[in-house]
């Protein structure tokens, strides 16, 4: 079944037809962006259509859904995304089974563009992180009008002070760290918490400081395991018989690469990271003789309702995206530049990882209050 199309006259009367998709790993706030886009478009007499599962919904158009105020009303408080998402659907590098049953990587982006034009969409609002926004930019270069909205719990996307989803992830991680203090103290143990953060240590840094960690390990600062052990033993001398170590999944010892679990599913653009928490716990135990346990916080950080901050910023991003469409600022991304939301060219954003600056106030604060980075 394909979507029924309005006649040209009806389409013109009704104003613009906007498509929206959510791509990559989910993040709390996606539904709030969708609600704001739909409501802002509705008040301009425009129509919004939801593309399912990232860009794959523009290849198989059967599941495209009309998003009306009735569909999206009050979804801003819900986690996840009503449109579904995937990190395997890059139309420029789509894994497709050939006649012999082997997987071939093919560029099917022309089909995406054709379907977009056939459905008479005026713009795609692409909500995603670096990978999804790179696809949006490549489609823009092929003639598709797009507006990007920055999402990732990792907060590692350039061009914007903050991405939505990050604040919720930090709150979840902080709450988990808070809870570990009592059990670690009771057993005089070292508890190592592995949090997300592939390329940048924002979640580890912010939750580690807020959760009163003893040690924070981030990708930006390669660590020396002996320095960490010395710090834990010094704290021990001062009466702290337990320790909390917060480690970003992308952190690595000096001279080593981040630990990974391989390529993951077919069509995935990046390797699955993980394992550094277990490694750090094992090494600390070996060297200090203390009990050490590790836990991986994993996808808990992506789940649940968005915090107040993430709800607000997601709604502001969605509404700003519609204003950018109105002003035909295609090929740009909405970005937070406090107190304003502005537009930045997608070209400037993609591929630019926003790392934690080593001279940042947060790193300095952490060091001043006695937190060790293993450097
Ligand atoms: O959203 C980014 C991220 O949370 C990374 O920190 C993490 O490595 C990755 O997603 C995990 O993705 P997946 O859900 O595909 O395992």
């Amino acid at each position: 079944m394909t979507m029924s199309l309005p006649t040209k006259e009806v389409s013109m009367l009704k104003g613009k037809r906007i498509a929206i998709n959510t791509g990559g790993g989910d993040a709390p706030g996606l539904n709030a962006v969708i609600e704001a886009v739909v409501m802002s478009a509705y008040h301009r007499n425009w129509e919004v259509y939801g593309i399912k599962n990232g860009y794959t919904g523009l290849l198989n158009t059967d599941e495209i859904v009309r998003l009306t105020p009735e569909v999206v009303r009050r979804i801003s408080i819900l986690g996840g995304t009503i449109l579904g998402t995937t990190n395997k659907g890059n139309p420029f590098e789509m894994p497709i089974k050939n006649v012999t049953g082997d997987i071939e990587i093919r560029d099917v982006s022309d089909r995406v563009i054709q379907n977009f034009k056939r459905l008479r969409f005026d713009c795609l609002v692409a909500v995603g992180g670096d990978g999804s926004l790179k696809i949006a930019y490549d489609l823009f270069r092929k003639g598709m009008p797009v507006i990007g909205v920055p999402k990732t719990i990792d907060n590692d996307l350039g061009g914007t002070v903050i991405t939505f989803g990050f604040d919720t992830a930090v709150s979840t991680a902080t709450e988990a760290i808070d809870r570990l203090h009592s059990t670690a103290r009771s057993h005089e143990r070292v508890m190592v918490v592995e949090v997300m953060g592939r390329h940048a240590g924002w979640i580890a840094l912010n939750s580690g400081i807020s959760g009163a960690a003893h040690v924070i390990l981030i990708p930006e600062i390669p660590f020396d395991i002996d320095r960490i052990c010395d710090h834990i033993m010094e704290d021990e001398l001062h009466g702290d018989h337990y320790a909390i170590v917060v480690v970003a999944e992308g952190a690595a010892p000096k001279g080593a690469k981040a630990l990974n679990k391989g390529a993951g599913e077919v069509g995935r653009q990046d390797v699955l990271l993980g394992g550094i928490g277990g490694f750090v716990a094992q090494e600390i135990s070996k060297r200090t003789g203390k009990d050490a346990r590790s836990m991986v916080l994993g996808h808990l950080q992506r789940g649940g309702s968005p915090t107040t901050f993430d709800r607000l910023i997601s709604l502001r991003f969605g509404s700003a995206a519609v204003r950018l469409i109105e002003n035909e600022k295609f090929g740009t991304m909405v970005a937070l530049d406090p107190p304003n939301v502005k537009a930045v060219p997608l070209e400037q954003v993609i591929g630019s990882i926003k790392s934690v600056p080593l001279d940042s106030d947060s790193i300095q604060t952490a060091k001043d209050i006695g937190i060790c980075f293993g450097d």
Side-chain angles (χ1 to χ4, degrees), residues 21 51 54-61 64 89-94 107-121 124 135-136 138-140 142 144 146:
N21 72 351
I51 311 295
Y55 293 90
T56 51
L58 274 172
L59 286 169
N60 171 8
T61 57
I64 291 178
N90 181 352
F92 292 89
E93 291 173 29
M94 189 62 83
D107 179 351
V108 292
S109 57
D110 284 343
R111 255 173 63 206
V112 167
I113 302 271
Q114 278 159 17
N115 285 335
F116 182 86
K117 286 186 178 157
R118 179 174 62 79
L119 294 166
R120 296 198 189 121
F121 291 138
L124 171 72
I135 298 168
D138 289 343
L139 291 170
F140 170 69
K142 288 188 85 154
M144 183 189 283
V146 302

Side-chain angles (χ1 to χ4, degrees), residues 172 330 350:
T172 303
F330 302 121
I350 52 173

Side-chain angles (χ1 to χ4, degrees), residues 233-256:
M233 294 321 281
E234 271 166 36
D235 278 353
E236 177 101 26
L237 286 177
H238 291 101
D240 233 357
H241 299 292
Y242 79 101
I244 303 283
V245 179
V246 181
V247 54
E249 61 185 348
K254 280 180 186 163

Side-chain angles (χ1 to χ4, degrees), residues 3 49 76 84 133 154 158 172 181 196 206 256 258 286 300 324 336 343 346 357 359 368:
M3 281 188 62
Y49 292 84
S76 58
L133 293 181
D154 290 1
T172 303
H181 279 276
M196 284 188 174
N206 286 21
K286 235 196 278 175
L300 273 179
L324 290 183
L336 183 67
L346 275 171
D359 59 353
D368 283 346

